[in-house]
Structures are given as structure tokens and as C-alpha cells.
Amino acid sequence: MIVATQPKISLSLHASDTTIMHRAGITGLYMTLKRLEAQYPSSHQRGAHISWSLTADTIELFWEGTDFVALSWLFKESFQLDDTGLIHLAGLDNDAADLSQKIQIHEGMCAVFLRLNKFYKAGKQVKTELTVEGKKVEYQYKSLTWYAHQTFADKLCETDTQQLKQDYVQITSWLYLGGIVRHARAQNMTKLEEKPEYALALLFVPVICQYWLLHLPSEDLKERKPHRYLVVIPEIKDFEDASQRRWRLQQLETKQLHVSSIGEAGLLYYSLDNIQPEGDYYQACQVWLYEKMNQSSHQRTLMSIEEIEINQNTLITYQRVQQSFQPNYEKIQPQKIFVKVNPIRSLIAENLVKGIPWWSDLWEKLVIEDTKGYLFNQLLYNRGGVIMMAENSEEDEQYLTFVKVFQQAMKGNFAKMYAKAEEGKEPPIKKKVERLRAELNSCYDKLSFQQYLSDFLVRGGLNKYFNENKESILLLIKKSHWEELRIWSLLAIASYKPKEKPNDTENSSSTNNQDLKEVSDESE
């Protein structure tokens, strides 16, 4: 048997003919080889004695004998199915993943990479039990008996010689996202062509990418929609750094993999990174949206691609958002698990990836587009997060003072209502809040806003925060764009916490959490 002295396949992150997808696939291959190396430390334990040389940005594969034997072993070990028909990717830390994470990867890969039925063989519907919020819940998924990644050596090697093809290989959407065969009669013109080594690398894209489920805030919470999948494809600069990041993502609970904005999916991919203050942090990725064209469709189609760039300040701010605002919540119903998403957090994440302050665009989203007040009600149950974000940001310090002045005026107005309320009856706080919003909504320019604000502060009576910060507040009102202060006025209304009943004080925290559970968006 002849021992190869030159690499059979060489791959580099810096090759000029690679795209973001190629680099992602090469990284997925790197992750897989690292895991296989630990499982089979000697090349004599591997098919055709396949071995490899890995650096921070290159991969070289060597083997003895026929190419088909070496690649068949590699694909067989890399892409497996467990005893229950779930996809098992060797490049991931499957020991650290719980059952719900394995199902999430299985269903995501089936929805995105294995959309055409000729690329997989379906098994039976499998019933299993998941533990959610300490309760056992029955769950069903479609098992597989085979998928194309497992036997792709047939496509890469010549049938007669069993050696690697020297010509280009035709591939379709299951291998390269977006390369879909649009019509059977034109499939030869709509397929993509890749070098054999790149076709191999693209098989491993599912290892490095991550799937999220996208929820659109709906006013009809009972309406069920087909799952919309977001796939994050990271731009790779270093194999080891990218691998460690993807393995860390397995720490996330399944309920955290649900978002209501494309931007948050991108930020979540990097959310567990440890940012060094003196470092020069920069990351980039693409987020691909796949959804069904209509209810009767069986396949998801690529609907959009968004490129996202993330710098140090953006990620640090998002990590603070995660700490400040309510997390997603899993609601259990008979044989069903609904994930209720916090859309306010996703709205803020969308602002961050646009490179604008976290509170920007909230007026448009919470007033102009939110005609029935659904999102504003969500903001009420995230009231603590608004204050926490302002308190932890030097840039927002002046706005925090403005919020305190505004809320002190609210307190003065509400005190009059409490005084007038009959004993044993609750004052109409909710109606008063709605009235304040309506007054704020009527402001259409700087003059009308300043007139409204002056009148509102006078009606609130003595205001200690205004007196203590009179010069800075007046300067803020004079120099700030009036639309910015209108947003902060809205945030002040939403984050105001009404006076609690004496017997409700102990339960205020649990009540706020329950509020989010009742009003958040239904899982699809």
C-alpha cells in the first residue's frame, strides 16, 4: 500500500475563491476532525488510515489507498443517526447536549439542509418525553433512516476508479444554502458547481451554523403559523476561536433559541463571548431566513439574507439587555410546548445591529406600528429593564434624570386620583396611563411637545427631581431633538411602577414574571 506524502485535500480560510459558506464549511470540518481525533487517536483506527494536519487557518487531509474508502469512513463517522433516528453530528459536543437540543438541531437541519425528499429517508414518528419547567411533556418528531451527507463519497468519487473526481461537482440546496433547483426541466441550469474539495467542505456547514425560530409579534395569539427558521452563518477568522464559540452555544437552553427579530439571532450567536475592555473586538455573520411560501407548502424557501456586523460596544450592550429584560418563557399545554418570546428585547437587538442607540425606533414600533397596543403592553412588563439599561449607561444618564422628573410628575397626578378614589375602590390608573399616552401621541413637532411637557410638569405639582436638576433638565430639553425626548417620555410611562397595595409587596416580583407569561407571543 502506498503512503501519501502529499495531502490529498488542502483547504485554507484565506483562499481567494472561497465564500462565507465555504469558510463556514471548512470550520465545521475542523470541528469534526478535532472530535474524531479524540475518539480515534491513531490513524490505524480510521478507514484508509486517514489522517490530517490542522492549523488555525488550514486543513490538510492524507490517506492511504483509495479515496472512496477514506471519504466513506469520514462521512460515516461525521454524520450519524442515533438509535431513535435523530441526526448526530460528530463535530458537536453531543454529550453536553440534552434531548431537546438534539431535537432542535435535527428539526433545523431537516427544515433547511434536507428540504428535498430525495436527500433523506424518513422513518417513523417517534414519541418521547421532554422535561420542561420540571414537568414531563410528550413530544413527537420525524425520525430519519438515512440522509445524503452519510453517503456523499459516491458523489465525490469516480465509480470505476474510486478516486476523487478531478472535475466540478454539481450540488443543490441541501448542500449549499440557496442553491435550489427551481424546476425539474431546468435543473441542469440551476444547479451549482463546486470543486470536489469545496463540495466536501460544504457538507459540514450544519456543524458551525446555528438555528433559531423566528416569531412575528401577532395580535392574534391563538393563530398558529409554520415555523420560520433563521440560520446564522458566521464569518470565520480562526478555526479554534470559532469552534469554541459554537461549542459554547450548546449551553443555551432551547427556549433561548426563539427570537422575534433577525438581528437578535445574529447577536445571540456571539452572546457568550467574553469581551476584554482593552481588546479590538469585531465579528460578522449572515442570517438566512427560511419560511414556507404558504400554508399548503411542504418546503421552506430562502426569503432573505441579512449581513450583520458586531463591534465591542454592540455586544456589551446586548449582553446588558439580556440581563435587564425578561427572558423567554416556556408554557406547557397538553402534549404541546409553547415558547413565549419577549419581543421588546428583540426590538432593542434590532436597533443595536443597525448601529443606533438601543432606544431608537421605539416610537415607530410601539406607537405607529403597534395600533392595538400589544407591544406597549409588553413594555409594561419589562419596566424594570428600561431603568436598568439607563442606569448602566453613561450615555443615557441624562435621560435617566429626565425619566425620574417625568415619573415624579406622574406620581403627583396619580396621588390626586388616589385621594379622590372612594375607599375600597381602585383608582383608574390604567385609564390614566392610556390618557397620558394619547396626550403624548398628539405631539407632532417640537413646539407642541414642549407645550405638552410644560403643562404635564405643572399638573404634577412640586417635583423634587426637577428642582435638584433644573439646569441640566432645561438644557437637555433645549438641545435634544424633541423626538428623542418623546421616546423617553414613552419609556417613562411604560417603566412607571404604580403604588402597590400593602399585601402585594411580597408578591410583586413573582407577579411581574407571571404577567410576562400571560402576554408574551405564542410559540408557533
Side-chain angles (χ1 to χ4, degrees):
M1 187 173 291
I2 300 174
V3 179
T5 57
Q6 296 296 321
K8 296 283 188 172
I9 289 179
S10 297
L11 296 164
S12 171
L13 280 180
H14 306 299
S16 59
D17 56 347
T18 60
T19 67
I20 185 174
M21 293 298 298
H22 294 106
R23 293 187 287 274
I26 296 171
T27 309
L29 174 60
Y30 174 91
M31 294 172 63
T32 303
L33 294 176
K34 292 287 282 188
R35 293 295 184 187
L36 293 179
E37 195 171 63
Q39 188 176 357
Y40 304 101
S42 172
S43 63
H44 294 283
Q45 298 172 286
R46 310 168 193 157
H49 295 180
I50 187 172
S51 60
W52 43 83
S53 173
L54 306 177
T55 70
D57 54 8
T58 63
I59 297 175
E60 291 184 338
L61 292 172
F62 307 82
W63 57 79
E64 303 169 0
T66 63
D67 301 347
F68 179 80
V69 172
L71 295 178
S72 293
W73 181 89
L74 176 62
F75 297 151
K76 177 185 176 183
E77 293 296 329
S78 302
F79 305 106
Q80 300 180 10
L81 291 166
D82 68 13
D83 294 338
T84 63
L86 283 174
I87 291 174
H88 174 104
L89 299 176
L92 297 178
D93 187 0
N94 291 282
D95 293 335
D98 60 22
L99 180 58
S100 61
Q101 288 178 322
K102 293 177 181 178
I103 292 175
Q104 190 265 346
I105 291 174
H106 174 90
E107 293 182 334
M109 191 166 170
C110 289
V112 174
F113 290 91
L114 302 174
R115 289 175 294 152
L116 305 179
N117 56 18
K118 67 178 180 179
F119 298 131
Y120 67 90
K121 291 181 181 178
K124 298 179 180 179
Q125 285 288 117
V126 176
K127 292 183 179 180
T128 188
E129 275 191 347
L130 299 178
T131 301
V132 179
E133 303 289 331
K135 298 179 181 178
K136 295 289 186 181
V137 184
E138 185 179 276
Y139 191 86
Q140 293 186 13
Y141 65 87
K142 182 175 66 176
S143 66
L144 299 183
T145 60
W146 167 85
Y147 58 106
H149 294 61
Q150 297 178 300
T151 56
F152 197 67
D154 296 335
K155 306 294 183 183
L156 287 179
C157 298
E158 299 288 357
T159 304
D160 52 350
T161 65
Q162 294 199 332
Q163 299 303 312
L164 197 65
K165 290 181 177 180
Q166 300 301 308
D167 200 2
Y168 283 85
V169 178
Q170 288 188 327
I171 60 174
T172 47
S173 61
W174 63 273
L175 183 63
Y176 188 89
L177 283 75
I180 188 169
V181 178
R182 293 295 178 185
H183 196 284
R185 295 179 66 180
Q187 62 178 345
N188 290 331
M189 293 182 288
T190 57
K191 285 184 177 179
L192 301 174
E193 290 187 332
E194 290 289 348
K195 296 178 181 178
E197 60 268 29
Y198 285 159
L200 179 150
L202 289 169
L203 283 173
F204 292 85
V205 170
V207 180
I208 188 66
C209 74
Q210 177 63 284
Y211 314 96
W212 272 267
L213 285 172
L214 176 66
H215 302 245
L216 298 181
S218 172
E219 295 170 351
D220 182 4
L221 299 182
K222 296 181 180 180
E223 182 182 354
R224 292 182 60 83
K225 300 184 180 68
H227 286 155
R228 303 175 185 88
Y229 278 93
L230 295 175
V231 185
V232 175
I233 312 295
E235 184 59 84
I236 308 298
K237 296 179 287 187
D238 175 273
F239 285 145
E240 190 61 27
D241 179 62
S243 300
Q244 294 297 333
R245 176 179 295 110
R246 179 62 186 89
W247 287 326
R248 281 197 302 271
L249 284 174
Q250 293 185 266
Q251 301 173 21
L252 296 178
E253 297 179 84
T254 305
K255 67 180 179 182
Q256 294 176 274
L257 305 179
H258 295 248
V259 298
S260 60
S261 77
I262 292 176
E264 184 165 29
L267 286 169
L268 268 170
Y269 192 92
Y270 300 93
S271 62
L272 299 180
D273 285 8
N274 184 18
I275 306 297
Q276 300 298 325
E278 67 280 0
D280 184 19
Y281 185 89
Y282 173 82
Q283 300 292 343
C285 64
Q286 291 184 358
V287 183
W288 298 46
L289 169 61
Y290 278 83
E291 65 175 305
K292 294 181 178 179
M293 296 290 289
N294 50 61
Q295 292 288 348
S296 61
S297 175
H298 296 290
Q299 294 179 8
R300 290 170 180 82
T301 300
L302 177 62
M303 302 300 291
S304 69
I305 301 174
E306 184 167 325
E307 295 188 1
I308 293 177
E309 298 180 351
I310 302 171
N311 60 32
Q312 179 172 306
N313 290 335
T314 299
L315 188 59
I316 290 176
T317 304
Y318 178 69
Q319 290 173 337
R320 194 162 68 240
V321 169
Q322 288 183 299
Q323 297 169 357
S324 302
F325 289 90
Q326 297 274 15
N328 293 344
Y329 170 73
E330 290 176 306
K331 183 176 181 181
I332 303 169
Q333 292 185 358
Q335 299 185 356
K336 294 180 182 178
I337 305 170
F338 291 107
V339 176
K340 294 175 172 286
V341 179
N342 185 347
I344 301 302
R345 189 188 61 241
S346 289
L347 283 178
I348 292 173
E350 200 67 23
N351 286 337
L352 295 180
V353 299
K354 292 176 182 176
I356 58 180
W358 64 271
W359 43 266
S360 299
D361 282 357
L362 290 185
W363 182 265
E364 179 181 352
K365 300 296 182 182
L366 299 175
V367 176
I368 299 175
E369 297 179 13
D370 187 32
T371 56
K372 295 187 178 180
Y374 168 74
L375 289 175
F376 182 78
N377 286 332
Q378 297 286 324
L379 187 58
L380 293 176
Y381 301 116
N382 284 273
R383 54 169 59 95
V386 173
I387 301 301
M388 289 177 64
M389 287 294 296
E391 288 177 341
N392 292 319
S393 172
E394 294 181 3
E395 294 85 355
D396 298 332
E397 187 175 353
Q398 58 182 344
Y399 295 115
L400 179 60
T401 304
F402 176 82
V403 167
K404 291 180 178 179
V405 169
F406 196 98
Q407 291 184 340
Q408 182 66 26
M410 290 178 66
K411 185 177 181 180
N413 278 280
F414 290 167
K416 298 174 185 178
M417 295 176 56
Y418 278 105
K420 293 180 180 179
E422 297 181 18
E423 187 175 351
K425 291 186 177 181
E426 286 292 320
I429 297 296
K430 186 175 181 181
K431 290 184 178 180
K432 185 65 175 177
V433 169
E434 290 302 318
R435 182 178 175 182
L436 289 178
R437 285 185 62 203
E439 292 175 352
L440 193 59
N441 293 356
S442 66
C443 300
Y444 55 88
D445 60 14
K446 184 174 183 178
L447 180 61
S448 62
F449 174 74
Q450 290 181 345
Q451 289 175 339
Y452 157 76
L453 186 60
S454 301
D455 179 64
F456 175 70
L457 294 177
V458 169
R459 282 186 279 137
L462 295 176
N463 194 313
K464 62 178 182 179
Y465 291 109
F466 182 79
N467 292 330
E468 292 172 358
N469 303 276
K470 185 173 10 180
E471 291 183 4
S472 61
I473 287 296
L474 291 176
L475 186 62
L476 178 68
I477 294 173
K478 181 179 179 181
K479 290 192 172 183
S480 297
H481 198 288
W482 73 274
E483 290 177 319
E484 291 182 1
L485 290 182
R486 184 174 62 174
I487 292 174
W488 280 98
S489 300
L490 183 68
L491 293 176
I493 294 173
S495 61
Y496 180 81
K497 190 172 183 180
K499 182 179 179 182
E500 293 178 344
K501 296 180 184 178
N503 60 343
D504 285 348
T505 304
E506 295 181 1
N507 299 324
S508 61
S509 178
S510 60
T511 301
N512 286 341
N513 288 335
Q514 185 62 33
D515 286 338
L516 177 67
K517 298 173 186 178
E518 294 304 321
V519 301
S520 295
D521 193 17
E522 290 282 0
S523 172
E524 299 176 62

